[in-house]
Amino acid sequence: MSRSELSALARGVGVHLGALTAVLADRYGDRPAVIDPERTPGLDHGETRSFTDIEDAVARLASVHAEAGVGPGDRVLVVCDNRLDVALHAFAIARLAAVPVPVNHRLTGHEIDVIGQATGATAAVADDEVADRVPDRLRLRRVSEVAEALPAAAHRAPAGDLDPDATAILLTTSGTTGVPKAAPLTSRGLLSSLGRLTVVPLGADLGPLRRDRDRILACLPLTHVMGFSVLLASLSAGLPLVRRARFRADEVLDLIEHHRPNVLVAVPTMFADLERAGAADRDLSSIQLFVSSADVLPPDRARRLQGYGGLARIAGRGVGSAAVVDIFGMVELSGPAAVRLYPPSPVGSLPAPSFAVTLPGVRLRVVDEDGRTVPRGTVGELQWRGPNVLGGYEGHVEGGPDADGWFGSGDQGRLLGGGLFQFAGRSKDRLKVGGFSVFPAEVEEELEGARGVAELAIVGVPDERLGERLVAVVVPTDGFDDHAFLRWARDQVAGYRRPSEVVVVDAIPRGPNGKLDREAGTQLAVDALSEEDA
């Protein structure tokens, strides 16, 4: 494959998710693709999988799903632990012109059922340990059954007509009304922002950076749009990805010193944990680029990260400071859409100023409450347009882009000169817990009817490690027990969407229109918890 053809691939021109691994296997062959000790049931491989190995796995899995009756248009839940299997099944299902729906395996049976209904799923593949949480109405294939049915050899024959502009994958996003929405993403949208990877010499046969040294380290969930995007980015660039299903700070520091990656991708909570685990005293000089995603990275932490890595290596030692990229993205934008860059410096103690810019092919505007474009420098809602923007939510008329293709993110910011912009704040209804988006209305709906609770509101209070942690503001009735409530909540919602504390109040704060005043409720919780700490 020529460089121009690879550039077309990375831009998503004519390449469907179901054919991607076959195209990349032709390009990169036995080059290392993923370094991960987690084993795929039924497939023999060591810690390192080549691009050929990945295509072999996808082809064999596609054969099993086809024999199970999966066909064009079918929605199939993928409920697996955070192994590479999540992506392998997604690629295989997409190859059949069906639509994979990756689901966080930690969700409760009720939560999985809601996602199944929202996406119109008719089938599921699930780890044996979570299979009993899959709704009975779905045609279920256990991972152990898939492993037993795998053919001995792959049949590398991608489906004939795969439309890169058709829905290739469905990822669910929480809704402010309490009902999750299914975001249909296309192959073109997912891959459109990756064209820049062919501009820099990462993974190239020639150039100042060598393919045998460039590698990425990430421990992100593959059911999250950012985790999936990182995998697509590393594969498309031909770079090995060192990954683990779980993030453990001590292990990641060991991996950096052992594998010497030059790119580390994590969420702010992970970077906070790395610092607590002694990052300042470890050798992170191989890192030239720290990439943060899913939430805002505090500037002081970004500056410290720059000092841990290096612009270049001379005689095995880091020189200067690393670059830090803080990514803005969301599932509706097919992943990353803009970056805040802390450029590297030849002298670590002389940092350059940071700035934010949209990624190639993505357009941005700022509007007021009436949807009118505001003057440069004025704060308003950030709206996005481009091939990465979803066309609309599955089964929903409202909430997607307008007639001209502009999608309102709910985030606030201002445009500057030269194509730069600044963030001014997040949407007041979207909370970020350890990098995961949580809409409190959804959690409130799932916790309604708790014993001893007359009314409740979920708010996010600042947390140094998680960014925000969830707190339940509760109006109690007789017999309310906050400890019993929290224990009960563990069975109702997944860990990152679960309140960790309770604040008891006489009344939930409301505005003149009777709607919940979440900002006032948040302040009430902050004040109450501060008094307890004092």
Side-chain angles (χ1 to χ4, degrees):
M1 181 182 296
S2 69
R3 198 67 175 165
S4 62
E5 289 173 323
L6 182 61
S7 179
L9 159 68
R11 291 196 304 273
V13 179
V15 180
H16 189 275
L17 207 60
L20 181 64
T21 58
V23 173
L24 292 174
D26 287 338
R27 162 64 178 170
Y28 297 123
D30 293 331
R31 183 184 297 186
V34 177
I35 302 171
D36 184 353
E38 293 284 344
R39 303 303 173 95
T40 300
L43 295 171
D44 297 326
H45 56 71
E47 179 172 315
T48 300
R49 272 155 283 189
S50 68
F51 286 86
T52 299
D53 293 334
I54 289 178
E55 164 55 19
D56 175 83
V58 170
R60 293 167 69 186
L61 288 170
S63 175
V64 174
H65 286 302
E67 291 178 359
V70 174
D74 289 341
R75 267 65 172 164
V76 183
L77 301 187
V78 180
V79 194
C80 298
D81 198 354
N82 190 34
R83 304 184 304 274
L84 184 62
D85 300 28
V86 174
L88 297 179
H89 280 289
F91 292 138
I93 293 166
R95 180 162 298 187
L96 303 174
V99 181
V101 186
V103 177
N104 189 326
H105 80 291
R106 296 182 298 172
L107 296 182
T108 65
H110 170 70
E111 291 169 322
I112 294 173
D113 188 27
V114 169
I115 290 175
Q117 294 183 48
T119 58
T122 57
V125 56
D127 281 343
D128 292 18
E129 305 80 54
V130 300
D132 60 347
R133 288 186 242 150
V134 175
D136 293 337
R137 59 185 177 78
L138 298 182
R139 190 171 68 251
L140 173 65
R141 201 73 186 268
R142 295 172 180 264
V143 165
S144 60
E145 296 172 343
V146 172
E148 292 175 358
L150 283 169
H155 302 286
R156 289 184 55 184
D161 297 324
L162 291 173
D163 182 2
D165 293 311
T167 299
I169 192 169
L170 277 168
L171 298 178
T172 53
T173 178
S174 299
T176 56
T177 60
V179 180
K181 294 179 180 179
L185 305 181
T186 68
S187 300
R188 195 183 303 277
L190 284 165
L191 296 172
S192 63
S193 64
L194 304 182
R196 76 188 66 83
L197 294 175
T198 63
V199 178
V200 296
L202 296 175
D205 296 332
L206 300 174
L209 301 180
R210 302 191 314 275
R211 70 182 186 190
D212 60 346
R213 190 212 65 190
D214 301 315
R215 58 182 55 190
I216 301 171
L217 172 60
C219 305
L220 299 170
L222 292 173
T223 56
H224 190 283
V225 68
M226 192 59 206
F228 197 74
S229 294
V230 169
L231 175 65
L232 290 179
S234 66
L235 292 176
S236 296
L239 301 180
L241 172 66
V242 180
R243 72 173 305 274
R244 294 294 184 270
R246 301 284 182 277
F247 173 84
R248 298 180 179 87
D250 289 334
E251 181 186 20
V252 168
L253 293 173
D254 290 340
L255 289 171
I256 293 173
E257 292 184 334
H258 176 69
H259 287 284
R260 308 303 290 164
N262 60 331
V263 181
L264 174 62
V265 188
V267 302
T269 299
M270 294 175 180
F271 286 122
D273 288 349
L274 290 175
E275 289 202 289
R276 288 192 180 89
D281 299 322
R282 304 291 291 268
D283 181 8
L284 309 187
S285 61
S286 66
I287 306 294
Q288 294 175 294
L289 176 63
F290 292 92
V291 180
S292 180
S293 65
D295 201 355
V296 178
L297 181 69
D300 58 341
R301 178 157 290 130
R303 296 302 186 192
R304 290 196 299 274
L305 290 174
Q306 287 189 282
Y308 300 150
L311 173 63
R313 283 186 294 174
I314 299 179
R317 299 181 63 86
V319 176
S321 68
V324 172
V325 168
D326 195 3
I327 291 179
F328 173 84
M330 51 199 308
V331 66
E332 291 89 347
L333 305 180
S334 302
V339 297
R340 182 182 184 185
L341 177 64
Y342 295 81
S345 170
V347 181
S349 61
L350 188 63
S354 66
F355 58 90
V357 62
T358 59
L359 296 179
V362 180
R363 295 186 60 188
L364 173 66
R365 72 178 184 181
V366 179
V367 301
D368 61 19
E369 293 182 354
D370 296 320
R372 296 172 299 194
T373 303
V374 301
R376 180 181 298 175
T378 303
V379 174
E381 182 189 31
L382 300 176
Q383 293 192 342
W384 309 81
R385 187 169 74 176
N388 59 313
V389 177
L390 85 172
Y393 295 105
E394 188 96 346
H396 289 263
V397 177
E398 300 179 351
D402 64 17
D404 295 322
W406 289 101
F407 176 77
S409 65
D411 297 287
Q412 302 292 301
R414 59 174 66 85
L415 286 177
L416 306 176
L420 306 182
F421 71 98
Q422 290 179 328
F423 290 106
R426 288 199 308 269
S427 165
K428 64 181 180 179
D429 290 322
R430 186 194 302 262
L431 303 177
K432 285 284 190 173
V433 181
F436 287 94
S437 292
V438 177
F439 279 84
E442 184 180 63
V443 181
E444 289 163 358
E445 182 174 282
E446 293 175 355
L447 296 182
E448 280 182 352
R451 181 178 180 182
V453 174
E455 192 176 9
L456 69 83
I458 298 296
V459 300
V461 301
D463 186 276
E464 182 180 354
R465 175 177 175 268
L466 297 173
E468 291 177 299
R469 68 181 188 276
L470 300 185
V471 174
V473 179
V474 173
V475 177
T477 61
D478 293 340
F480 175 73
D481 183 318
D482 56 348
H483 296 294
F485 169 79
L486 292 175
R487 287 195 299 271
W488 174 80
R490 292 193 192 103
D491 297 327
Q492 307 304 311
V493 293
Y496 67 93
R497 304 171 64 249
R498 181 189 307 147
S500 60
E501 296 172 276
V502 173
V503 170
V504 175
V505 297
D506 294 329
I508 299 293
R510 296 191 178 279
N513 57 4
K515 291 186 177 181
L516 167 65
D517 187 339
R518 204 173 300 278
E519 184 176 348
T522 300
Q523 189 59 54
L524 191 154
V526 169
D527 292 343
L529 294 173
S530 297
E531 291 179 5
E532 291 180 8
D533 293 339

